[in-house]
Amino acid sequence: MDHFQRQGPTLHCEDVNLHHVAQRFGTPTYVYSKATITRHIKVLQEALADLPHHICYAVKANGNLSILEIIQDLGCGFDAVSVGELKRVEHIGADPKQVIFSGVGKRDDEIKSALESGVLYICVESEEELEAVSKIAQSLKLTAPVSVRVNPDVDAGTHEKITTGRKENKFGVDIAAAPAFFAAAADMAGIDARSMSLHIGSQITQLEPFERAYRGLREMTLALRA
């Protein structure tokens, strides 16, 4: 909320009087600060400056085309969980090679569209989905770049309905099974298994769960490289 501040009795977004906005457009009206979005992205970019990185914004968080354009202009890619979201970022001129295609329960036609668009990679959630991607990629005479979502069995300490990284949650491949999963992927036609990914939940306010999750991911990555 860095650029939402009161000037006297009236809330402003940057230098815009929000009382005047409400009078002009009525309520409810959603107002976003370009300066705040820019600041947050630059903080992330500066934190990762010494590492190879590619920041992807989750389109499901806010699909407003103007906001997506701001994010793209700042050098970010996107994380799309549907063909609709993929088309939105293509509409603003985003390069599909800068877009991750993730999401659970992908239909065959969605996988086909993502492969035809040439996305950076498809995030695979299960052995069954990997087999589906392999079959579709072969039918298109393509090699599908994939990332495997692993479940690190980390409790993020949030509400149980929005926790996605515990062993009993239904998302991703058990991290202990990752070596066998990658071995199978390496032998599978039409598949180029490039990386691992994880998601442990939403509304997480502490860094410690992320540290535990990514330490586990690091250990597994080193083991797979060896």
Side-chain angles (χ1 to χ4, degrees), residues 19-69:
H19 180 68
H20 295 163
V21 171
Q23 287 180 321
R24 179 178 176 184
F25 296 104
T27 60
T29 294
Y30 293 87
V31 179
Y32 300 92
S33 165
K34 180 179 179 180
T36 297
I37 295 169
T38 300
R39 176 188 177 278
H40 290 338
I41 289 175
K42 288 188 174 180
V43 166
L44 282 172
Q45 290 170 332
E46 289 168 5
L48 297 170
D50 294 334
L51 299 169
H53 68 277
H54 178 51
I55 298 171
C56 290
Y57 174 77
V59 182
K60 65 182 178 182
N62 191 324
N64 181 294
L65 294 177
S66 295
I67 290 175
L68 298 181
E69 286 181 333

Side-chain angles (χ1 to χ4, degrees), residues 79-122:
D79 182 319
V81 298
S82 68
V83 172
E85 290 183 2
L86 179 58
K87 296 303 180 185
R88 288 186 81 80
V89 297
E90 287 181 335
H91 179 74
I92 64 167
D95 182 355
K97 289 183 174 58
Q98 303 300 313
V99 180
I100 296 165
F101 195 73
S102 56
V104 298
K106 304 176 195 68
R107 300 192 309 266
D108 286 357
D109 61 299
E110 292 179 311
I111 294 170
K112 181 174 182 287
S113 292
L115 290 174
E116 289 175 332
S117 291
V119 295
L120 179 62
Y121 62 73
I122 294 177

Side-chain angles (χ1 to χ4, degrees), residues 143-154:
T143 298
V146 302
S147 175
V148 177
R149 176 176 174 177
V150 297
N151 185 318
D153 193 22
V154 168

Side-chain angles (χ1 to χ4, degrees), residues 181-198:
F181 196 98
F182 268 84
D187 292 334
M188 196 170 288
I191 295 293
D192 175 16
R194 295 184 175 182
S195 64
M196 288 187 290
S197 61
L198 57 79

